[in-house]
Amino acid sequence: MNTHKKDLPVRSDLRNIAIVAHVDHGKTTLVDTMLQQAHTFRANQEVQERVMDSMDLERERGITIMAKNAALRLETPDGEMKINIIDTPGHSDFGGEVERVLSMADGCLLLVDAAEGCLPQTRFVLGKALEAKLTPIIVVNKIDRQDARPEAVLDEIYDLFIDLDANEDQLDFPVVYAVGRDGIAKTNLADESDSLKPLFDAIIENVPAPRADVEAPLQMMISNLDYNDFVGRLSIGRIVAGRIKANSEVALARLDGTFKKFRISNLFAFEGLGRTNIDEAGAGDIVALSGIEDPHIGETIADAETPVALPPLTVDEPTIAMNFAANVSPLAGREGKYVTGRHLRDRLAREVLTNVAIRVEDAQEPDTFKVSGRGELQLAIIIEQMRREGYEMQISRPEVVTHEENGKLMEPVEQVFIDVPQDSVGVVTEALGRRKGNMTQMVNHGSGRVRIEFEIPSRGLIGFRSQFLTETRGMGLLNTLFSHYAEWGGPIPQRQSGALVADRAGNATPFAMANLQERGTMFVEPTTNVYEGMIIGENARESDLNVNIVKEKHLTNMRSSTADIAVKIVPPQPPTLERALEWINDDELVEATPKAIRLRKKVLSSNRK
Ligand SMILES: Nc1nc2c(ncn2[C@@H]2O[C@H](COP(=O)(O)OP(=O)(O)OP(=O)(O)O)[C@@H](O)[C@H]2O)c(=O)[nH]1
Ligand SMILES: [Mg+2]
């Protein structure tokens, strides 16, 4: 199809771009100011920051999780032009989101933070964009930062293009310097500017207008899904060929090769942050439509009479898996609405529809499902969403996804990029060495900070993040990128500490806690309801220890009330979901409910062995 592209008619009034970058380099903020300057918001409309990050979890965490569409209109000398924009997540766990939405675009804005420079996910997304033959525009962003070094960062970008085998054309990329947050862009660092006009101009000039055959039979790949209370499930994608009309009949090419006819009910175009009803759209347009029952990402919406499926979408394979099981702890069912294996199965089946980067299989145990994804954060976000919807579940320790090749067991290996203060180099190198990390590069900028690269089995990284933060006193930066599969690297040492385990049910008392706290770190607050086998803290020693955390003080002396014991309790440190997941061992579980994150032994009885 690409070979004939040059002869096709051009949609000169349209541009489709994706915004890609490493996490936090300013994509969503730039989309905000682009939309503002294109007058997409109504006057006086109160505008939140990062409006595109519309999910609760996105706003709370300040990161983008799902790719989303928006559109703006610009006045040009040749008339009005529409620009469809796809904002993508930068965190590597959500790389699957980026891969699949790139097919909707012809060009991309590659944002690079003017101080941080090229980071692992810059490399990943640029690689995917070049593979997808998108025309890149480089945006060196956040040039207002005190530590900005835009020229040096531009050099890094050239090196990265060369490293990724970019061709001559691709190397000839336009560069824009920006303060996305303030809505300022310029072509030369020395220019004066108070708007994003230079960026808009660069998009119009450089990103190719879609070339597509509007007269051919309809073909549209479903690249994203959404839901609307009024019209139900929405299929989102770019029309590759032909036209699509509201109320018309189409054929859906399922992934298994079968076809099924549907009638499209509503057809929408993107406009600003929302969608508007339209009657018809043609090849090159990005649209959302309702009427397809049970749509899946990667399926083709095709001509009803002569349906032809588009080549299937491929995304990188998952590298990490956890078992999700129905919660059967003694406290099960008290806090959640959905507790059974059946509930979990249905919910996970729905997740797979919108989340192409995850897989769900039945595990060997009953009511247990093996969920595989790109990283711990991706899976933790799913658990967090499910908790908020009222689900309870218990989750096993994350493990890497392995496979066999020529009779050998293969495991995923990651590249780790760290940036640490000079005095942490020793501890960090030693810690990664113990986890089978190999140093591949070390650069000392002479600034007091050192950049080091390692190759390490993904397994070795489980639980490393929090240790890293502690050992660099929060001053270290850590980034990872899936590299390749390699032969199983042998055992990697596990957690050095044991668990403090409640030996009976009851409520934690301040008196008992005051006596136990010298043994390690407490995970629960006084009065917390505990059960036998529940982990209530981390033992400073290597072995597990059964403890009585519900013991009451026999009040022999009235003056010694529980109140003055409570004062002596060190504040407990209940682990967050992510910390809990990476902390547990194979014989332990995380119990997640809408109200609580608990840790427990798999076998609850105190005389486990
Ligand atoms: N100094 C400075 N900070 C900026 C600029 N643009 C964005 N930021 C800040 O950078 C942080 C990240 O911004 P986001 O827009 O959420 O970044 P993102 O690339 O969308 O992040 P992900 O979607 O999670 O990958 C926020 O704290 C912004 O306020 C800028 O031009 N200058
Ligand atoms: Mg974002």
Side-chain angles (χ1 to χ4, degrees), residues 23-29 50 63-64 90 142 144 179-181:
V23 66
D24 261 1
H25 282 193
K27 297 174 289 297
T28 306
T29 308
R50 297 183 298 110
I63 58 166
T64 304
K142 307 197 193 180
D144 61 308
V179 185
R181 196 188 48 206

Side-chain angles (χ1 to χ4, degrees), residues 332-444:
R334 297 200 192 175
E335 292 155 0
K337 271 191 289 186
Y338 310 113
V339 210
T340 66
R342 207 203 157 91
H343 285 135
L344 280 190
R345 177 194 298 276
D346 291 350
R347 177 61 181 77
L348 290 170
R350 262 190 287 136
E351 188 66 31
V352 176
L353 292 183
T354 52
N355 207 333
V356 279
I358 72 156
R359 303 251 189 295
V360 177
E361 302 150 73
D362 282 332
Q364 270 160 6
E365 305 79 35
D367 292 332
T368 306
F369 308 94
K370 182 174 173 187
V371 184
S372 320
R374 285 282 185 87
E376 289 158 271
L377 178 64
Q378 188 193 28
L379 297 181
I381 293 281
I382 296 172
I383 297 167
E384 192 62 50
Q385 262 162 346
M386 291 174 65
R387 285 179 69 200
R388 287 173 191 219
E389 292 165 20
Y391 287 83
E392 286 193 11
M393 70 215 103
Q394 51 188 39
I395 305 122
S396 68
R397 179 174 204 269
E399 52 183 66
V400 295
V401 176
T402 56
H403 64 251
E404 275 197 19
E405 237 173 75
N406 305 326
K408 287 183 180 145
L409 185 62
M410 308 294 283
E411 67 170 331
V413 173
E414 268 166 84
Q415 274 177 293
V416 182
F417 304 75
I418 63 168
D419 185 320
V420 288
Q422 198 140 10
D423 60 359
S424 311
V425 171
V427 269
V428 170
T429 310
E430 201 196 310
L432 279 171
R434 242 182 287 126
R435 290 162 173 269
K436 293 225 154 53
N438 262 329
M439 193 190 294
T440 50
Q441 207 183 341
M442 171 139 105
V443 186
N444 193 334

